Amino acid sequence: MWISFEDNATGTSHVKFIRQASALDLGKLGDAHGFPSTYSFPQLIFLGGMCSSSICSLLSVRNELYGNVFEITVATLLSFVSAALASTQRICYEAVASSSVVLILPGFIVLNGSLEISSRSLIAGSVRLCYALMYSLFLGFGLAIGAELYQAMLGKPLVGGMDSMCALSHDSTGGWWQRTPSMWWAFLSVPCYSLFLSLRFGAVIGRRELFLLVAISCIGWVTNHFVGIKFPNQSDISAAVGAFAVGLVSNLYGRFFEGNAFVVMITGILFQLPSGLGNGGLFNFVVDQTSGSSSSYSSGFNTALQLISTSVGLTVGLGISLVLVHPVQSRRRAAGVFSL
């Protein structure tokens, strides 16, 4: 462990290197084992499914070797199932496939990379961004392989690969279950997704922070949604304004109520990151790949760039909110936006 002791009076620092020999301490090991995860593995699977079902209107990586291809295989399986369901022309391929992979998008990785680069941590930030670019391509490749397997095995074309509005599977004259949901459903789906996403990441039921997580996430989504209507196809602007709203409320809570701003803002930030799926996104890659287009990987890189532009907007919005709430230099502000 490296520890740096800074002297503000002289502007110098003294670095100490502390080395601890490895040893077995059963008492400390037992104490550490006494802090289990908040939710069990089956509960996490249920919460992941509820997140996907909410955002439509995970499986934990246990094996280290399988973890290297986890995203590709899961995306392949889910894309194959979504294509089979879409062939009935009663299920929307894009809606089912996008909601099924929403929790494994690399948005948080891209956000961390943007924050690190903005704080001059160039190496760490660049590594994260490069990893996110390749991760997006892996994810799109998995979705494309699933669609191609469906076409090859059943000899049927992919239905609704570019049907982002689900017009092929919805019937405006049919029953309520066949019609495109109105925006009034957002009053149910947005809080539900915020709740289950918070629980998925370990929020504890009954604590004040859980209510704040849901409320601030809803504030961020509403801001992002209406700014997105005003500035269509500009995810960086809508993300910046949405992140500003989330950061402003969270930092005000942290400053005046002695709470932790990071804890109550994280769901609101993660809610805005899947915009790389919007306006085609990954599914442009899927359609180009299944049709044999030579520009398929260009679509994949465009999706990754959408995630990066969104995260840049989030970084700017969070930074501005932090400056407004903490205009005077302080230790809390100097610690950074995502400091625990």
Side-chain angles (χ1 to χ4, degrees):
M1 180 183 296
W2 293 91
I3 301 180
S4 177
F5 298 92
E6 297 186 2
D7 188 344
N8 294 328
T10 62
T12 60
S13 62
H14 182 61
V15 180
K16 297 290 292 185
F17 178 63
I18 300 177
R19 175 176 295 172
Q20 174 65 40
S22 60
L24 180 62
D25 190 321
L26 296 180
K28 293 181 180 179
L29 185 62
D31 293 339
H33 186 68
F35 293 97
S37 301
T38 306
Y39 302 106
S40 65
F41 182 62
Q43 289 173 327
L44 291 178
I45 294 179
F46 169 76
L47 293 175
M50 294 304 297
C51 285
S52 295
S53 62
S54 299
I55 205 170
C56 187
S57 117
L58 256 168
L59 299 175
S60 176
V61 183
R62 296 291 185 89
N63 187 295
E64 187 172 340
L65 293 177
Y66 176 64
N68 297 326
V69 293
F70 169 73
E71 292 80 12
I72 299 177
T73 55
V74 169
T76 299
L77 174 63
L78 297 176
S79 179
F80 182 89
V81 174
S82 300
L85 293 174
S87 65
T88 64
Q89 296 190 354
R90 296 177 180 271
I91 304 295
C92 180
Y93 171 79
E94 279 208 16
V96 175
S98 60
S99 62
S100 63
V101 299
V102 68
L103 291 182
I104 58 177
L105 284 175
F108 189 63
I109 300 173
V110 179
L111 175 62
N112 282 340
S114 300
L115 288 171
E116 287 171 343
I117 289 180
S118 65
S119 62
R120 304 299 186 270
S121 299
L122 300 182
I123 296 178
S126 300
V127 170
R128 289 182 188 274
L129 290 179
C130 290
Y131 171 74
L133 284 170
M134 297 306 300
Y135 186 104
S136 299
L137 289 177
F138 288 152
L139 199 58
F141 183 74
L143 291 172
I145 290 298
E148 287 185 349
L149 284 176
Y150 170 79
Q151 292 184 152
M153 294 176 62
L154 299 181
K156 297 180 180 179
L158 177 64
V159 178
M162 294 294 293
D163 185 22
S164 59
M165 300 302 295
C166 299
L168 296 177
S169 57
H170 291 178
D171 184 3
S172 59
T173 61
W176 63 267
W177 62 90
Q178 294 177 298
R179 301 175 186 175
T180 301
S182 68
M183 287 308 300
W184 292 103
W185 278 94
F187 284 96
L188 175 64
S189 59
V190 172
C192 282
Y193 180 73
S194 303
L195 173 64
F196 290 118
L197 185 63
S198 301
L199 295 175
R200 175 64 180 81
F201 286 103
V204 180
I205 297 177
R207 291 188 180 178
R208 176 180 59 182
E209 285 78 8
L210 180 59
F211 171 77
L212 291 171
L213 278 165
V214 176
I216 294 175
S217 178
C218 292
I219 292 173
W221 183 86
V222 169
T223 306
N224 186 301
H225 173 71
F226 286 103
V227 173
I229 294 176
K230 186 67 175 180
F231 300 95
N233 300 325
Q234 292 181 287
S235 59
D236 50 350
I237 296 178
S238 58
V241 180
F244 171 78
V246 171
L248 183 65
V249 177
S250 301
N251 283 297
L252 287 174
Y253 165 74
R255 178 169 184 176
F256 296 107
F257 295 93
E258 298 183 354
N260 193 309
F262 170 75
V263 171
V264 297
M265 80 165 61
I266 189 63
T267 301
I269 296 299
L270 292 179
F271 202 163
Q272 304 183 54
L273 288 171
S275 58
L277 290 174
N279 301 317
L282 286 174
F283 299 102
N284 289 331
F285 180 89
V286 173
V287 172
D288 289 344
Q289 186 76 8
T290 53
S291 62
S293 173
S294 59
S295 62
S296 59
Y297 277 88
S298 298
S299 301
F301 277 112
N302 289 334
T303 301
L305 292 176
Q306 285 181 6
L307 289 171
I308 292 177
S309 65
T310 300
S311 295
V312 169
L314 292 175
T315 304
V316 172
L318 288 174
I320 295 175
S321 68
L322 188 66
V323 171
L324 289 180
V325 177
H326 301 281
V328 179
Q329 187 72 22
S330 64
R331 179 173 297 181
R332 178 175 296 182
R333 176 183 163 188
V337 176
F338 283 111
S339 175
L340 290 175

mmCIF file of all heavy atoms in Angstrom, residues 109-129 315:
data_model
loop_
_atom_site.group_PDB
_atom_site.id
_atom_site.type_symbol
_atom_site.label_atom_id
_atom_site.label_comp_id
_atom_site.label_asym_id
_atom_site.label_seq_id
_atom_site.Cartn_x
_atom_site.Cartn_y
_atom_site.Cartn_z
ATOM 1 N N ILE A 109 -19.158 1.831 -17.600
ATOM 2 C CA ILE A 109 -17.719 1.798 -17.882
ATOM 3 C C ILE A 109 -17.310 3.043 -18.665
ATOM 4 O O ILE A 109 -16.284 3.676 -18.379
ATOM 5 C CB ILE A 109 -17.360 0.521 -18.663
ATOM 6 C CG1 ILE A 109 -17.731 -0.716 -17.860
ATOM 7 C CG2 ILE A 109 -15.877 0.499 -19.018
ATOM 8 C CD1 ILE A 109 -17.566 -2.016 -18.614
ATOM 9 N N VAL A 110 -18.127 3.403 -19.646
ATOM 10 C CA VAL A 110 -17.829 4.590 -20.444
ATOM 11 C C VAL A 110 -17.901 5.847 -19.586
ATOM 12 O O VAL A 110 -17.076 6.764 -19.708
ATOM 13 C CB VAL A 110 -18.807 4.696 -21.630
ATOM 14 C CG1 VAL A 110 -18.532 5.945 -22.447
ATOM 15 C CG2 VAL A 110 -18.711 3.465 -22.510
ATOM 16 N N LEU A 111 -18.887 5.907 -18.689
ATOM 17 C CA LEU A 111 -19.013 7.063 -17.803
ATOM 18 C C LEU A 111 -17.782 7.205 -16.912
ATOM 19 O O LEU A 111 -17.240 8.307 -16.752
ATOM 20 C CB LEU A 111 -20.275 6.920 -16.949
ATOM 21 C CG LEU A 111 -20.482 8.008 -15.888
ATOM 22 C CD1 LEU A 111 -20.618 9.377 -16.552
ATOM 23 C CD2 LEU A 111 -21.701 7.705 -15.040
ATOM 24 N N ASN A 112 -17.339 6.101 -16.330
ATOM 25 C CA ASN A 112 -16.131 6.155 -15.498
ATOM 26 C C ASN A 112 -14.929 6.613 -16.309
ATOM 27 O O ASN A 112 -14.106 7.405 -15.831
ATOM 28 C CB ASN A 112 -15.851 4.778 -14.887
ATOM 29 C CG ASN A 112 -16.738 4.489 -13.699
ATOM 30 O OD1 ASN A 112 -17.291 5.401 -13.104
ATOM 31 N ND2 ASN A 112 -16.895 3.227 -13.366
ATOM 32 N N GLY A 113 -14.824 6.116 -17.541
ATOM 33 C CA GLY A 113 -13.714 6.540 -18.389
ATOM 34 C C GLY A 113 -13.756 8.026 -18.690
ATOM 35 O O GLY A 113 -12.718 8.703 -18.664
ATOM 36 N N SER A 114 -14.950 8.550 -18.973
ATOM 37 C CA SER A 114 -15.078 9.982 -19.245
ATOM 38 C C SER A 114 -14.722 10.815 -18.026
ATOM 39 O O SER A 114 -14.046 11.850 -18.131
ATOM 40 C CB SER A 114 -16.510 10.303 -19.705
ATOM 41 O OG SER A 114 -16.835 9.602 -20.876
ATOM 42 N N LEU A 115 -15.181 10.378 -16.844
ATOM 43 C CA LEU A 115 -14.855 11.097 -15.615
ATOM 44 C C LEU A 115 -13.353 11.080 -15.329
ATOM 45 O O LEU A 115 -12.779 12.078 -14.894
ATOM 46 C CB LEU A 115 -15.617 10.486 -14.434
ATOM 47 C CG LEU A 115 -17.119 10.740 -14.386
ATOM 48 C CD1 LEU A 115 -17.764 9.899 -13.294
ATOM 49 C CD2 LEU A 115 -17.407 12.211 -14.158
ATOM 50 N N GLU A 116 -12.721 9.950 -15.599
ATOM 51 C CA GLU A 116 -11.288 9.860 -15.345
ATOM 52 C C GLU A 116 -10.488 10.736 -16.308
ATOM 53 O O GLU A 116 -9.515 11.387 -15.909
ATOM 54 C CB GLU A 116 -10.836 8.400 -15.439
ATOM 55 C CG GLU A 116 -11.290 7.563 -14.254
ATOM 56 C CD GLU A 116 -11.041 6.088 -14.456
ATOM 57 O OE1 GLU A 116 -10.829 5.679 -15.611
ATOM 58 O OE2 GLU A 116 -11.060 5.348 -13.452
ATOM 59 N N ILE A 117 -10.904 10.753 -17.582
ATOM 60 C CA ILE A 117 -10.209 11.611 -18.535
ATOM 61 C C ILE A 117 -10.412 13.077 -18.184
ATOM 62 O O ILE A 117 -9.489 13.893 -18.287
ATOM 63 C CB ILE A 117 -10.688 11.315 -19.969
ATOM 64 C CG1 ILE A 117 -10.158 9.945 -20.420
ATOM 65 C CG2 ILE A 117 -10.229 12.394 -20.940
ATOM 66 C CD1 ILE A 117 -10.572 9.567 -21.812
ATOM 67 N N SER A 118 -11.630 13.456 -17.767
ATOM 68 C CA SER A 118 -11.876 14.849 -17.402
ATOM 69 C C SER A 118 -11.096 15.266 -16.167
ATOM 70 O O SER A 118 -10.802 16.448 -15.984
ATOM 71 C CB SER A 118 -13.375 15.069 -17.159
ATOM 72 O OG SER A 118 -13.821 14.324 -16.046
ATOM 73 N N SER A 119 -10.749 14.294 -15.303
ATOM 74 C CA SER A 119 -9.935 14.589 -14.130
ATOM 75 C C SER A 119 -8.451 14.351 -14.388
ATOM 76 O O SER A 119 -7.660 14.249 -13.455
ATOM 77 C CB SER A 119 -10.390 13.739 -12.935
ATOM 78 O OG SER A 119 -10.232 12.361 -13.217
ATOM 79 N N ARG A 120 -8.065 14.234 -15.667
ATOM 80 C CA ARG A 120 -6.681 14.106 -16.126
ATOM 81 C C ARG A 120 -6.061 12.741 -15.827
ATOM 82 O O ARG A 120 -4.846 12.606 -15.869
ATOM 83 C CB ARG A 120 -5.798 15.212 -15.521
ATOM 84 C CG ARG A 120 -6.287 16.626 -15.788
ATOM 85 C CD ARG A 120 -6.341 16.936 -17.265
ATOM 86 N NE ARG A 120 -6.674 18.329 -17.517
ATOM 87 C CZ ARG A 120 -7.903 18.808 -17.663
ATOM 88 N NH1 ARG A 120 -8.929 17.965 -17.589
ATOM 89 N NH2 ARG A 120 -8.123 20.082 -17.896
ATOM 90 N N SER A 121 -6.881 11.743 -15.527
ATOM 91 C CA SER A 121 -6.366 10.378 -15.400
ATOM 92 C C SER A 121 -6.444 9.732 -16.784
ATOM 93 O O SER A 121 -7.347 8.937 -17.079
ATOM 94 C CB SER A 121 -7.176 9.590 -14.363
ATOM 95 O OG SER A 121 -7.099 10.179 -13.096
ATOM 96 N N LEU A 122 -5.491 10.099 -17.630
ATOM 97 C CA LEU A 122 -5.590 9.768 -19.052
ATOM 98 C C LEU A 122 -5.467 8.274 -19.321
ATOM 99 O O LEU A 122 -6.185 7.725 -20.161
ATOM 100 C CB LEU A 122 -4.505 10.531 -19.822
ATOM 101 C CG LEU A 122 -4.573 12.061 -19.718
ATOM 102 C CD1 LEU A 122 -3.473 12.690 -20.555
ATOM 103 C CD2 LEU A 122 -5.933 12.584 -20.161
ATOM 104 N N ILE A 123 -4.544 7.611 -18.639
ATOM 105 C CA ILE A 123 -4.310 6.195 -18.928
ATOM 106 C C ILE A 123 -5.519 5.350 -18.531
ATOM 107 O O ILE A 123 -6.044 4.565 -19.328
ATOM 108 C CB ILE A 123 -3.042 5.703 -18.203
ATOM 109 C CG1 ILE A 123 -1.819 6.450 -18.749
ATOM 110 C CG2 ILE A 123 -2.881 4.202 -18.372
ATOM 111 C CD1 ILE A 123 -0.531 6.077 -18.062
ATOM 112 N N ALA A 124 -5.979 5.534 -17.297
ATOM 113 C CA ALA A 124 -7.115 4.742 -16.821
ATOM 114 C C ALA A 124 -8.364 5.031 -17.650
ATOM 115 O O ALA A 124 -9.103 4.122 -18.037
ATOM 116 C CB ALA A 124 -7.373 5.035 -15.348
ATOM 117 N N GLY A 125 -8.617 6.310 -17.958
ATOM 118 C CA GLY A 125 -9.792 6.653 -18.737
ATOM 119 C C GLY A 125 -9.740 6.115 -20.153
ATOM 120 O O GLY A 125 -10.744 5.620 -20.683
ATOM 121 N N SER A 126 -8.572 6.189 -20.794
ATOM 122 C CA SER A 126 -8.432 5.686 -22.164
ATOM 123 C C SER A 126 -8.634 4.182 -22.226
ATOM 124 O O SER A 126 -9.263 3.663 -23.159
ATOM 125 C CB SER A 126 -7.058 6.053 -22.709
ATOM 126 O OG SER A 126 -6.865 7.449 -22.722
ATOM 127 N N VAL A 127 -8.107 3.466 -21.238
ATOM 128 C CA VAL A 127 -8.279 2.012 -21.207
ATOM 129 C C VAL A 127 -9.756 1.647 -21.095
ATOM 130 O O VAL A 127 -10.251 0.749 -21.785
ATOM 131 C CB VAL A 127 -7.468 1.404 -20.050
ATOM 132 C CG1 VAL A 127 -7.836 -0.063 -19.851
ATOM 133 C CG2 VAL A 127 -5.973 1.539 -20.312
ATOM 134 N N ARG A 128 -10.479 2.347 -20.230
ATOM 135 C CA ARG A 128 -11.902 2.054 -20.069
ATOM 136 C C ARG A 128 -12.676 2.337 -21.355
ATOM 137 O O ARG A 128 -13.554 1.565 -21.752
ATOM 138 C CB ARG A 128 -12.481 2.890 -18.921
ATOM 139 C CG ARG A 128 -12.018 2.458 -17.547
ATOM 140 C CD ARG A 128 -12.688 3.301 -16.477
ATOM 141 N NE ARG A 128 -12.157 3.057 -15.160
ATOM 142 C CZ ARG A 128 -12.571 2.091 -14.345
ATOM 143 N NH1 ARG A 128 -13.535 1.284 -14.746
ATOM 144 N NH2 ARG A 128 -12.038 1.932 -13.150
ATOM 145 N N LEU A 129 -12.379 3.449 -22.002
ATOM 146 C CA LEU A 129 -13.098 3.793 -23.229
ATOM 147 C C LEU A 129 -12.805 2.794 -24.349
ATOM 148 O O LEU A 129 -13.715 2.410 -25.093
ATOM 149 C CB LEU A 129 -12.729 5.208 -23.665
ATOM 150 C CG LEU A 129 -13.261 6.345 -22.787
ATOM 151 C CD1 LEU A 129 -12.805 7.692 -23.321
ATOM 152 C CD2 LEU A 129 -14.783 6.299 -22.714
ATOM 153 N N THR A 315 -21.003 13.520 -17.946
ATOM 154 C CA THR A 315 -19.870 14.069 -17.211
ATOM 155 C C THR A 315 -19.984 15.581 -17.079
ATOM 156 O O THR A 315 -19.756 16.148 -15.999
ATOM 157 C CB THR A 315 -18.554 13.697 -17.917
ATOM 158 O OG1 THR A 315 -18.481 12.280 -18.061
ATOM 159 C CG2 THR A 315 -17.353 14.176 -17.120
#
